[in-house]
Amino acid sequence: MTPETTPDDDRLPVGTSPVFGGPTPDDGGGRAPAGSGERRPGRPVRAAETVVAGPAGTGSGALPDGALGGSPEYVDGGWPARLDHDAYHALVRERVADLDRLDPERERLVPEPRLLVALDVDGTILDMAGRVSERVMAAVARLRTYGAQVVISTGRGVQAALPVARHVGLTDGWMVCANGALTLRMDPDAPGGYEVVESLTFDPAPAIDRLHAALPEAIVATEDLEHGFRGSRRFPEGELIETQTVVDLDELRAEPVTRIILRAPGVPVEEFTAAVDAAGLEAVEYAIGWTAWLDVAPGGVTKASALESLAARVGSDASRAVAVGDGTNDLAMLTWAGAGAVMGSAPQEVKDVGDLVTADVWRDGCAAVLDAVIERTRDLA
């Protein structure tokens, strides 16, 4: 049974995926991670479990591989080696050059309270073994000493995103969840450790009807803060952290929601994509993950729209924003930010919209971007 994880839980849950909070890239459909250029037989997702990883928000304690989910071949120890010190330093210098190209006067993309740094989770700060590297955690901590606004910007729901934020040391500040439908202010003194400052919902009935007609055997689920996920049946073991309740389609259609998920285990992603396109969804935003997993959000709602509102709230703007991501649900965010940094493992369509392409998650591509922001200030000293 998938464990229930409440927002004020100090534990780090497992079983989430490297894409949009859904299944792992190798979930039985035989689809390799993006950028691998290969297909291979599918392997089962590791069963869900819960581990303790030090006090909440400290990032302390040993974090077992797979503690936040991941593909079994990586969880079991098949990950590439991290860059050594010299290679990583060279990578940071490359990112400094990229940022200098975008901000030659070094006036906007520098660490200070108006800087907004938006970080995707899966495949960006969290690798496929479910780990956040020490370099990422250290870079986040250093940026915050300058007063920079470091914002988790994820497709995950609140219950799945909060443990990641806490693990990297973010117990206050802001977080964007559900691909922009939810904006939270994290506060250790608030009930559950956060308050919702914006929640955007939509009528799910038209989209559910079209999707169910296109893929009648697929799992249809909706998400909201009170109920976690309610679905037409349970997701495969280990794919969701949040609470799951099985209900009929009429109940799913009845109330406004922040997100719809369509999941078709075993359906090839190409076939799934064609069926979704043929469904003719209207007045909504949607993104398809590595596998047969679809997220549907309210029309006009993206990570970028949420960050635009948040930037105004904290006295910043897009020109002072650095965004790092790797998925199609990051496209709008990467285009919006003054510096859109794309992870090296991202699909080509995502790389095409970025201002720069950094290394993949295994080689600390995100950390290098964050450290480059700080390094530019040191160069001026």
Side-chain angles (χ1 to χ4, degrees):
M1 180 177 179
T2 304
E4 297 182 7
T5 304
T6 57
D8 58 348
D9 196 339
D10 287 352
R11 301 171 299 174
L12 293 175
V14 303
T16 50
S17 106
V19 183
F20 310 156
T24 63
D26 200 11
D27 72 333
R31 186 168 177 81
S36 69
E38 63 179 3
R39 296 179 66 85
R40 56 179 178 270
R43 300 179 64 181
V45 178
R46 186 178 232 190
E49 57 184 307
T50 304
V51 297
V52 177
T58 65
S60 63
L63 181 60
D65 297 325
L68 289 171
S71 181
E73 67 186 278
Y74 296 116
V75 169
D76 293 340
W79 52 84
R82 299 281 178 184
L83 296 180
D84 63 25
H85 174 78
D86 290 342
Y88 179 71
H89 183 69
L91 182 64
V92 172
R93 298 306 302 175
E94 290 176 6
R95 300 293 79 82
V96 169
D98 287 330
L99 295 175
D100 282 348
R101 171 174 51 82
L102 298 169
D103 177 27
E105 301 300 323
R106 297 191 174 186
E107 294 177 344
R108 297 178 291 104
L109 305 176
V110 293
E112 49 106 354
R114 290 176 296 174
L115 180 71
L116 193 156
V117 180
L119 304 178
D120 173 53
V121 171
D122 299 293
T124 299
I125 64 172
L126 188 74
D127 68 25
M128 289 180 184
R131 305 176 307 167
V132 180
S133 79
E134 292 182 2
R135 284 172 175 153
V136 168
M137 297 174 71
V140 167
R142 284 194 292 269
L143 276 174
R144 282 169 59 84
T145 66
Y146 288 88
Q149 305 284 340
V150 181
V151 179
I152 296 294
S153 182
T154 179
R156 291 184 175 212
V158 176
Q159 292 179 9
L162 270 174
V164 179
R166 288 170 172 166
H167 185 64
V168 299
L170 300 176
T171 57
D172 58 6
W174 305 90
M175 183 162 64
V176 171
C177 296
N179 288 323
L182 289 169
T183 300
L184 313 180
R185 185 180 68 84
M186 293 182 289
D187 179 355
D189 296 326
Y194 69 92
E195 65 171 335
V196 178
V197 297
E198 187 170 43
S199 176
L200 302 173
T201 61
F202 67 113
D203 176 7
I208 287 176
D209 290 345
R210 288 176 180 249
L211 292 171
H212 181 63
L215 288 160
E217 300 304 316
I219 302 167
V220 180
T222 61
E223 178 185 23
D224 61 50
L225 279 173
E226 293 183 2
H227 301 99
F229 281 96
R230 298 184 298 171
S232 55
R233 67 177 192 273
R234 292 186 67 82
F235 282 65
E237 186 69 25
E239 286 192 359
L240 288 181
I241 289 172
E242 295 90 340
T243 305
Q244 295 185 61
T245 305
V246 177
V247 300
D248 60 33
L249 286 178
D250 286 339
E251 188 168 343
L252 291 177
R253 299 170 73 259
E255 298 178 3
V257 298
T258 57
R259 174 163 60 157
I260 300 169
I261 292 176
L262 187 74
R263 173 74 175 109
V267 175
V269 69
E270 295 84 359
E271 179 182 330
F272 180 79
T273 300
V276 170
D277 289 343
L281 297 177
E282 297 177 347
V284 295
E285 304 292 333
Y286 68 91
I288 296 173
W290 304 89
T291 59
W293 176 291
L294 171 74
D295 279 325
V296 182
V301 174
T302 64
K303 292 183 180 183
S305 65
L307 291 168
E308 177 76 20
S309 297
L310 179 57
R313 186 184 292 268
V314 300
S316 185
D317 57 55
S319 71
R320 297 181 183 276
V322 176
V324 191
D326 74 320
T328 55
N329 63 333
D330 296 316
L331 288 169
M333 174 178 79
L334 293 166
T335 304
W336 170 81
V342 182
M343 299 297 289
S345 57
Q348 190 60 46
E349 65 179 302
V350 181
K351 292 179 179 178
D352 288 344
V353 307
D355 296 303
L356 64 96
V357 177
T358 188
D360 60 34
V361 66
W362 302 110
R363 293 168 179 81
D364 287 312
C366 178
V369 174
L370 306 186
D371 278 334
V373 173
I374 300 168
E375 192 72 13
R376 298 173 82 227
T377 300
R378 291 175 177 169
D379 287 351
L380 290 173

